[in-house]
Amino acid sequence: MSSTMETIFKVLFSVVIASNLVGNTMVILVVALHRRMKTPMNCLLANLALADFFVGLFLIPRTLLNDLYTHPGGWVGDFLCKMLTHACFTYLAAVASMLTLMFISWERYYAIMYPHSSRGRINANKLRLLVAVSWLVAFGYTSLEFWIIKFDEEKKACIYDWSVALWKTDVFVWCICLSLLPLGIQVGLYARVVYRLWGQKTQTKEISQRSLMIKRKRLTKTVLLISIINIVLRLPIDVHYFLSTFASDSVTTADWWKPVSFSVSHLMLVLNSAVNPIIYAAKDKTFRQHMWRLLRKGCGRSSRVMNTSVAESRTYTDNCKVFELKKL
């Protein structure tokens, strides 16, 4: 890419990653600090926010800092490739994020389709199990990449030291098993939920039942919007890896294609992680209120620290003046 294009992408990555880190941190704090917010759904959303936070955090070295240092070689270079500079943890977190979204759709399905049954509902034990499964599967998928990735002295880049067959298998698992399959499950579950909530004409005479139905529709709209945006913004990275692996050379050997495709697809990936807190704030009044209070507290604490520093500097200046007068 040209230097101008690289600068544009760096600015875009900076803005989106900063929004990602701030927004998802606020979501985690809202759920962690308020007992009433610790519902199974909100805990799943907090796990999603944690995964999205890591997507942005571990993408920083590869997108913003890659031109600011010289990558060492040897075993130190291999270690840094595995742990930091190749953004392996970004893909790990992306897998955990996708699985969490699938579990959220499952929770909505059973809450709407079987509201009086406890079989499929998520309690504390099931919640811990689902969170553990999302991260264990993610670690299992990326463990092979951690093992074989190394720093190439000639190319001056982190590379995968494996066969073509294993590379194609890895991309197939990423695109099909960890992307299209979870997305297909979400589409199927939400289709049933949407038909039950908006397609069927059900009469609810009791005020409590109407209120419950309104809450269910509002929450379903929120998580459904998150899933739709996830499908749209995650598609570019799947297309990027699929074409890079299986497409003909005439498509992927162009000098501009791979760097531009990589930057666009990963920008969409981190944008997908950054947009979720905005959806929570826009669609959920309780989340919006708690997030606004966190902002006010943070700004208030910063202003108090600033005022204290100004007061201390003024006191120091006054004392210095008094000291000078005494000397005179």
Side-chain angles (χ1 to χ4, degrees):
M1 289 188 295
S2 64
S3 58
T4 303
M5 188 70 71
E6 288 183 358
T7 302
I8 292 174
F9 274 116
K10 283 185 179 294
V11 172
L12 292 175
F13 272 111
S14 300
V15 173
V16 176
I17 289 176
S19 176
N20 176 328
L21 299 181
V22 173
N24 286 299
T25 299
M26 292 178 64
V27 172
I28 296 171
L29 290 176
V30 165
V31 177
L33 297 178
H34 300 89
R35 183 178 299 178
R36 292 184 178 181
M37 296 296 291
K38 294 180 181 179
T39 63
M41 172 57 72
N42 287 342
C43 289
L44 285 175
L45 293 178
N47 187 59
L48 177 64
L50 180 63
D52 289 341
F53 178 88
F54 286 141
V55 167
L57 179 66
F58 289 104
L59 203 59
I60 292 176
R62 196 171 182 182
T63 58
L64 301 180
L65 307 179
N66 53 342
D67 296 332
L68 302 180
Y69 59 88
T70 301
H71 202 291
W75 69 268
V76 177
D78 293 343
F79 179 79
L80 289 176
C81 281
K82 297 175 190 294
M83 304 302 297
L84 192 63
T85 54
H86 195 67
C88 288
F89 284 104
T90 292
Y91 305 116
L92 183 151
V95 173
S97 175
M98 173 59 72
L99 294 177
T100 303
L101 283 170
M102 185 178 68
F103 295 147
I104 289 174
S105 66
W106 178 46
E107 191 279 341
R108 281 294 82 201
Y109 175 80
Y110 274 96
I112 301 302
M113 303 300 293
Y114 306 101
H116 304 295
S117 174
S118 60
R119 182 180 178 182
R121 302 298 294 273
I122 298 178
N123 53 28
N125 293 330
K126 289 181 180 178
L127 177 64
R128 285 191 288 267
L129 177 62
L130 293 179
V131 171
V133 166
S134 66
W135 289 101
L136 287 175
V137 172
F139 272 105
Y141 168 73
T142 54
S143 60
L144 178 62
E145 297 186 358
F146 279 112
W147 181 258
I148 54 86
I149 197 170
K150 69 174 187 178
F151 182 73
D152 190 296
E153 298 282 354
E154 295 182 358
K155 297 180 179 179
K156 300 298 180 182
C158 301
I159 64 168
Y160 292 116
D161 187 19
W162 55 10
S163 65
V164 175
L166 195 57
W167 172 36
K168 291 183 177 181
T169 302
D170 176 76
V171 173
F172 178 84
V173 171
W174 168 272
C175 294
I176 305 301
C177 300
L178 297 175
S179 292
L180 292 183
L181 182 59
L183 289 175
I185 292 174
Q186 291 179 59
V187 170
L189 293 177
Y190 281 129
R192 296 284 305 277
V193 169
V194 170
Y195 179 74
R196 171 62 66 87
L197 290 177
W198 288 278
Q200 292 182 346
K201 295 181 179 180
T202 55
Q203 297 293 332
T204 54
K205 297 181 179 180
E206 297 182 4
I207 297 178
S208 59
Q209 291 296 323
R210 291 181 181 177
S211 176
L212 180 60
M213 183 62 68
I214 292 174
K215 291 180 180 178
R216 286 176 176 172
K217 287 184 176 181
R218 184 185 300 119
L219 180 56
T220 302
K221 285 181 180 179
T222 301
V223 295
L224 183 59
L225 180 60
I226 292 171
S227 294
I228 293 174
I229 292 177
N230 175 70
I231 293 173
V232 174
L233 296 181
R234 189 183 172 95
L235 185 61
I237 195 170
D238 294 333
V239 173
H240 166 76
Y241 283 121
F242 189 85
L243 291 179
S244 299
T245 307
F246 298 104
S248 62
D249 294 339
S250 60
V251 176
T252 59
T253 53
D255 293 336
W256 61 269
W257 188 84
K258 284 189 177 180
V260 172
S261 176
F262 174 88
S263 298
V264 171
S265 61
H266 285 73
L267 182 62
M268 294 299 102
L269 180 67
V270 73
L271 178 61
N272 176 44
S273 301
V275 76
N276 291 340
I278 300 174
I279 296 175
Y280 304 153
K283 294 293 185 179
D284 191 294
K285 182 180 178 180
T286 306
F287 257 110
R288 182 165 61 252
Q289 290 176 343
H290 286 307
M291 292 170 77
W292 176 242
R293 288 171 185 170
L294 280 176
L295 283 175
R296 290 179 62 185
K297 286 183 179 179
C299 294
R301 188 177 292 112
S302 299
S303 63
R304 286 196 298 271
V305 171
M306 230 168 140
N307 292 335
T308 301
S309 301
V310 171
E312 289 177 351
S313 64
R314 287 177 178 173
T315 302
Y316 177 77
T317 304
D318 293 341
N319 291 337
C320 289
K321 290 180 179 179
V322 172
F323 180 73
E324 290 297 330
L325 288 174
K326 287 182 178 179
K327 284 181 64 178
L328 295 173

